């Protein structure tokens, strides 16, 4: 089934069930008002939502209305955990190669992951508000899963059983803040502002056999200022699958319902043509394009995003239908300074 | 006022109001059931809780019962944000000195902070469950505040206005996992398992003039296996006050109600006596003691915590009364492996 959260002025919004073709929606009011509530009590509530979803798809739901992604908050407008991996090692290899550094062997055995802020996600069509263009504004097109309760010490296989929903994400990154921040040793913080998620979170059965044991074998599209810059395969080159990412979290702690776990920037290896490397599938973040330029020509030439730039991120199934709806955002400056808290 | 969350088998527990002397408590049922609910609607609900608190302190609350810290979850059993600073630069100086490294000048102008997991906090008397003693189990005695909504771009002064509650915390750390984790560059993750918080969260008016513009001028006591190892002044040596820590978060994002912001290990400078440095106020984490030993004698001699070890963390006001109740925990191994998720 497909679930979304409609804006209603409240912090958590209103849960809606969305039809498979994303054409219509129906409030889930009689079942649950918030998505976290469903994740807290999944086995009881999800079957009721599934019944409503079936009615909606059959055109029999009584109060269906046209679905509008612009009315959506993030499916979870705030969450108790947002742990983002960097599971496509090709991305790490390019970043390292651009600064003439090696990828440590341990990176192929032990996932990279950072803890992100989760108190204030933004909706799929909300502006990305950044205080300064000088921060090096970048998008990162990713896949993310939402988990149920998974106890400490889970294996990757057990972790896969705990996945409830899957989403797409724009893990906005402020590249020019990263070097100084990582040099301090405590990881990303100011360089990772509010993350955006696609309009709709879907259960794994919506993916059919494209969901392959923790990897999603479909193409994630990124369109920057109307130009398609990424058509990246999300599946085979994901070095660590979602079960492995979740088990990494679970090594020393329990993972509680509603935790969101991200893949990191989807990234594909280049191919050699006439003695020169090419990346025909493009890129899922500008930083990667700049690394490629640095490797090939000694310096980056693509700049980061400016106010007014747009980014659209979407994934279609093999029949060409949008699965999650599109993230479709504009970069914007903040409003006037605040007077009081 | 003083607020706590009683275990009731649910994820968020039951909100209780606790008397100033921590002797009695009263369910807040008619006003709010969960602390997050109060933080989401502070101006409307906090005054009603204050009325109940006044009745309870006057001995007039009709269904008061003896307060038992062992029945407490963390005041917020799960939260949308846990951002922990390292605001006592003396701690950083000792860590660096022990490995013959300098503290960069920027550390005195720009706070260190990491994003912690917030989906599964533990209560003040819950066991600290760690998969292996080899992980280097350590406590960290800290102070933490809970915020209301604070918009991006807030000043430290505005941030101070957004503080709603204050707590004590045990930011459990797995020291032997830290070097490899920080070497990966993405910050702490597995090395920071579930954090524990003191039984009671209090409003700032409970602190009187001990609350001084974002710093708390009182002593945080740490007792390890029944031996008092820390009597650390939390106030004057806090390099960055809570308003500065919150404003650091707010540089690139909004901070939403219920965010928890920590001070980092409370730490005091040593004093010279007869040509040798001493630390008469002790330590708020074992790692700091080991750094001192390394600086003085070339190697650490104090080991980390073992299964069965206990840690008690408490703060008293100038009249000698416990403000938050005590964190009182035992280190324990996990139960048997899980069969299914």
């Amino acid at each position: 089934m497909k679930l979304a959260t409609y804006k209603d002025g409240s912090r958590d919004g209103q849960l809606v069930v969305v039809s498979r073709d994303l054409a219509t929606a129906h409030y889930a009011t009689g079942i649950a008002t918030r998505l976290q509530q469903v994740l807290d009590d999944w086995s009881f509530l999800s079957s009721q939502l599934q019944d409503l979803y079936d009615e909606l798809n059959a055109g029999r739901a009584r109060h269906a209305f046209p679905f509008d992604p612009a009315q959506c908050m993030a499916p979870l407008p705030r969450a108790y955990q947002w742990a983002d991996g960097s599971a496509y090692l090709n991305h790490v290899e390019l970043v390292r190669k651009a600064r003439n550094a090696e990828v440590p062997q341990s990176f192929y055995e032990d996932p990279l992951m950072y803890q992100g802020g989760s108190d204030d996600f933004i909706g799929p069509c909300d502006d990305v508000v950044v205080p300064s263009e000088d921060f090096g504004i970048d998008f990162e097109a990713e896949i993310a899963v939402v988990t149920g309760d998974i106890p400490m010490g889970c294996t990757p296989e057990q972790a896969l059983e705990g996945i409830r929903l899957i989403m797409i994400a724009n893990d906005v990154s402020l590249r020019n803040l990263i070097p100084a921040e990582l040099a301090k040793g405590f990881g990303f913080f100011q360089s990772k502002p509010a993350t955006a998620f696609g309009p709709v979170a879907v259960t794994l059965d919506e993916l059919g056999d494209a969901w392959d044991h923790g990897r999603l074998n479909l193409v994630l599209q990124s369109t920057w200022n109307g130009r398609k810059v990424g058509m990246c395969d999300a599946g085979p080159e994901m070095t660590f699958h979602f079960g492995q990412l979740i088990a990494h979290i679970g090594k020393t702690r329990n993972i509680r319902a509603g935790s969101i776990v991200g893949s990191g920037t989807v990234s594909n290896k280049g191919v050699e043509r006439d003695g020169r490397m090419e990346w025909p599938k493009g890129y899922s973040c500008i930083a990667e394009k700049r690394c490629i330029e640095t490797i090939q020509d000694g310096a980056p030439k693509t700049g980061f995003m400016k106010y007014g730039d747009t980014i659209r991120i979407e994934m279609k199934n093999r029949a060409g239908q949008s699965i999650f709806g599109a993230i479709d955002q504009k970069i914007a400056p903040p409003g006037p300074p605040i007077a009081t808290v």
Side-chain angles (χ1 to χ4, degrees), chain A:
Chain A
M1 62 188 166
K2 302 195 176 191
L3 302 172
T5 296
Y6 252 41
K7 296 180 183 188
D8 68 349
S10 75
R11 295 173 186 275
D12 296 301
Q14 277 292 326
L15 181 65
V16 300
V17 174
V18 183
S19 64
R20 181 167 290 125
D21 63 5
L22 305 180
T24 59
H26 196 288
Y27 283 104
T29 322
I31 303 161
T33 56
R34 299 176 296 113
L35 181 54
Q36 181 65 47
Q37 190 185 346
V38 178
L39 292 157
D40 285 348
D41 196 7
W42 182 261
S43 53
F44 181 65
L45 295 174
S46 64
S47 57
Q48 298 175 49
L49 291 172
Q50 180 70 45
D51 289 345
L52 175 55
Y53 181 65
D54 294 341
E55 293 289 305
L56 185 65
N57 284 323
R60 288 194 306 263
R62 296 178 58 170
H63 301 288
F65 53 87
F67 176 62
D68 178 6
Q71 298 308 314
C72 288
M73 306 173 84
L76 282 172
R78 50 182 179 171
Y80 296 108
Q81 176 155 246
W82 165 223
D84 197 12
S86 184
Y88 297 84
L89 260 290
N90 181 63
H91 174 70
V92 181
E93 288 165 359
L94 286 171
V95 171
R96 295 261 168 164
K97 195 169 178 187
R99 55 172 213 247
N100 285 313
E102 296 284 309
V103 177
Q105 184 54 38
S106 64
F107 279 27
Y108 295 90
E109 291 137 27
D110 182 43
L112 281 168
M113 187 169 277
Y114 79 92
Q115 194 86 46
S118 54
D119 59 318
D120 191 43
F121 294 137
I122 50 179
C125 303
D126 291 346
D127 284 352
V128 175
V129 176
V130 180
S132 169
E133 290 180 324
D134 296 336
F135 289 173
I137 307 165
D138 199 357
F139 65 91
E140 279 197 19
E142 303 196 1
I143 298 162
V145 298
V146 185
T147 77
D149 291 312
I150 303 177
M152 178 160 39
C154 62
T155 64
E157 293 303 311
Q158 289 168 328
L160 284 178
E161 295 299 311
I163 295 174
R164 299 281 179 255
L165 297 166
I166 189 158
M167 308 186 289
I168 54 173
N170 178 12
D171 178 39
V172 180
S173 297
L174 304 175
R175 300 292 176 191
N176 295 342
L177 303 185
I178 290 180
E181 199 149 61
L182 295 197
K184 289 164 71 181
F186 274 33
F188 306 101
F189 204 102
Q190 293 174 333
S191 53
K192 293 285 187 180
T195 305
F197 292 91
V200 160
V202 313
T203 47
L204 297 179
D205 57 302
E206 294 293 331
L207 305 170
D209 63 2
W211 177 253
D212 179 15
H213 197 258
R215 293 181 174 88
L216 184 50
N217 286 320
L218 290 170
V219 171
L220 190 60
Q221 307 182 4
S222 297
T223 306
W224 176 19
N225 289 339
R227 190 173 149 247
K228 200 161 280 183
V229 297
M231 291 284 283
C232 296
D233 265 347
E237 296 183 54
M238 190 181 187
T239 313
F240 301 101
H241 67 67
F242 277 108
Q244 292 170 303
L245 295 178
I246 296 167
H248 182 83
I249 306 174
K251 182 177 174 183
T252 58
R253 44 163 134 150
N254 299 309
I255 298 151
R256 300 305 303 272
S259 288
I260 305 174
V261 181
S263 68
T265 307
V266 177
S267 175
N268 297 130
K269 280 188 187 301
V271 292
E272 199 178 312
R273 260 182 219 161
D274 306 326
R276 186 173 164 93
M277 292 297 289
E278 289 184 9
W279 279 263
K281 293 173 185 165
Y283 51 90
S284 301
C285 70
I286 300 168
E288 184 161 314
K289 174 69 169 164
R290 289 166 55 90
C291 287
I292 289 170
E293 291 166 349
T294 303
I295 293 165
Q296 294 200 311
D297 305 312
K301 64 172 187 279
T302 304
F304 290 116
M305 301 177 91
K306 300 290 178 194
Y307 293 143
D309 275 18
T310 59
I311 175 67
R312 183 181 170 94
I313 299 170
E314 192 167 19
M315 180 176 262
K316 294 181 176 171
N317 64 18
R318 289 174 191 139
Q321 295 148 335
S322 184
I323 298 173
F324 306 97
I327 292 173
D328 204 344
Q329 301 186 276
K330 191 168 95 254
I331 310 297
I338 55 167
T340 54
V341 168

